[in-house]
Amino acid sequence: MSETFKAILVSRDADKKQSVEIVDLGEADLMEGDVTVAVEATTVNYKDGLAITGKAPVIRRWPLVPGIDFAGTVLSSSHADWRKGDKVILNGWGVGETHFGAYAGRARVKGDWLVPLPDGISAHDAMAVGTAGYTAMLCVMALERHGILPDRGPVVVTGAAGGVGSVAVSLLSSLGYHVIASTGRNAESPYLIDLGAAEVISRDELSQPAKPLAKERWAGGIDAVGSHTLANVLSMTAYGGAVAACGLAGGMDLPSSVAPFILRGVSLLGIDSVMAPKAVRLEAWRRIGTDLDLKKLAGLSTTIGFDGIIAAAHDIVEGKIRGRVVVDM
């Protein structure tokens, strides 16, 4: 009899009502791919919370095992780059959306989707980073390419107590930036200061409808919120500055104007982590290995087991999660 493993399966009935259950699967139940991985650690991202709760149409194939990130060990491979025993990471590529994802003991994926686990980083640490931290690194790299370096002035991070925000604050502060952290949870100010924020401001300062242009407050920003928050960040960005946009926790709309772009030369940098080319992924994970303080990483993450994933998914959508959640499988 073939070995079975636990998995979370999200299904939908004829009336499009979603259900979530824990089931036993075997490797024969997995989808196509040329590498099979024993999943050792995963995480609960905001996107995973949306998938499990059904709050947004993340899942586009039914039924599906959710989970957009994992780290583990290759069990078998017909891909030229990978051999049994290799330690690997996966972020995105439609896994947990259209392809069976991380919330199972095994995953079968395309080898082209994998990157090696960096030296000195455990599977647990890699998932404390996860898509949220990898996305934060992509944002930092985009700001750097645009010339937004520490000597240009402060950088604001919105949704700072969340997964992307927490890692972004830590990364930026480690690189020497003056970080302004924006959060709706005032009680998290000490946590954000410990991560390296120089200032903490209330989300309320950025949540109202934005003026076309407001007083210049920062040289750049990393925004995971969208909507009015992003519009305000843009209106307050200094001449020649740039904002990296990577999330939509506050909404997909952007009620702004062209004023910041044509009167101050501000740039809006779109960040996609799901389909980023492999070369960019490799550079991002290399930088994570060198630039992220692993001691801070431990402080911004909590650990749960497989049985806690569903509850954590609901908590993250309801704004009850601080930092990152690691799932030890």
Side-chain angles (χ1 to χ4, degrees):
M1 186 175 179
S2 63
E3 181 184 357
T4 62
F5 46 85
K6 282 186 176 181
I8 294 175
L9 195 67
V10 182
S11 304
R12 194 164 68 174
D13 63 21
D15 296 324
K16 297 187 178 182
K17 183 179 179 181
Q18 181 170 306
S19 61
V20 182
E21 58 182 333
I22 296 177
V23 301
D24 290 321
L25 297 180
E27 287 194 13
D29 297 309
L30 298 176
M31 295 176 65
E32 72 283 351
D34 48 17
V35 182
T36 301
V37 179
V39 179
E40 296 170 5
T42 180
T43 180
V44 180
N45 296 289
Y46 187 75
K47 195 172 188 178
D48 299 314
L50 294 175
I52 286 178
T53 61
K55 296 288 187 180
V58 171
I59 294 175
R60 300 190 296 279
R61 180 196 184 279
W62 306 90
L64 195 81
V65 174
I68 65 173
D69 287 336
F70 66 72
T73 301
V74 173
L75 292 174
S76 62
S77 171
S78 59
H79 190 283
D81 291 349
W82 307 109
R83 292 175 174 80
K84 183 177 180 180
D86 287 344
K87 301 292 186 179
V88 294
I89 300 171
L90 182 138
N91 308 111
W93 291 117
V95 171
E97 300 179 62
T98 58
H99 191 97
F100 275 20
Y103 297 160
R106 302 283 185 272
R108 184 179 295 126
V109 298
K110 294 182 179 181
D112 289 344
W113 297 346
L114 299 169
V115 296
L117 185 71
D119 291 340
I121 296 182
S122 67
H124 179 99
D125 287 343
M127 289 299 98
V129 176
T131 280
Y134 149 67
T135 301
M137 189 73 248
L138 293 177
C139 290
V140 172
M141 290 162 59
L143 291 178
E144 290 174 341
R145 287 194 300 271
H146 199 77
I148 309 302
L149 301 175
D151 61 0
R152 286 286 298 272
V155 171
V156 66
V157 176
T158 67
V164 173
S166 293
V167 180
V169 170
S170 181
L171 279 169
L172 289 166
S173 65
S174 295
L175 292 168
Y177 288 85
H178 180 103
V179 182
I180 301 173
S182 167
T183 180
R185 294 178 268 175
N186 294 333
E188 301 295 3
S189 293
Y191 162 77
L192 293 168
I193 296 295
D194 285 345
L195 289 182
E199 303 176 49
V200 180
I201 63 174
S202 171
R203 175 175 61 195
D204 294 341
E205 294 188 35
L206 304 175
S207 61
Q208 301 303 311
K211 297 177 180 178
L213 286 177
K215 181 181 177 181
E216 298 180 10
R217 297 179 66 178
W218 34 70
I222 294 176
D223 175 67
V225 180
S227 193
H228 292 295
T229 295
L230 177 54
N232 276 291
V233 168
L234 289 167
S235 76
M236 298 176 189
T237 299
Y239 189 91
V243 178
C246 64
L248 45 72
M252 290 186 68
D253 59 322
L254 180 55
S256 184
S257 75
V258 298
F261 310 117
I262 64 174
L263 297 179
R264 287 188 183 159
V266 171
S267 295
L268 179 58
L269 312 175
I271 305 299
D272 168 57
S273 64
V274 176
M275 305 301 288
K278 190 166 184 176
V280 175
R281 293 168 181 268
L282 290 169
E283 175 61 10
W285 277 101
R286 185 194 69 77
R287 290 284 304 276
I288 287 166
T290 60
D291 296 347
L292 184 60
D293 186 333
L294 292 182
K295 292 180 181 178
K296 287 185 180 180
L297 186 64
L300 62 83
S301 61
T302 56
T303 304
I304 62 173
F306 176 86
D307 292 339
I309 292 174
I310 295 173
H314 285 268
D315 286 344
I316 199 168
V317 171
E318 293 169 12
K320 298 178 181 178
I321 297 290
R322 180 179 80 177
R324 304 281 297 128
V325 177
V326 182
V327 183
D328 282 338
M329 299 288 281

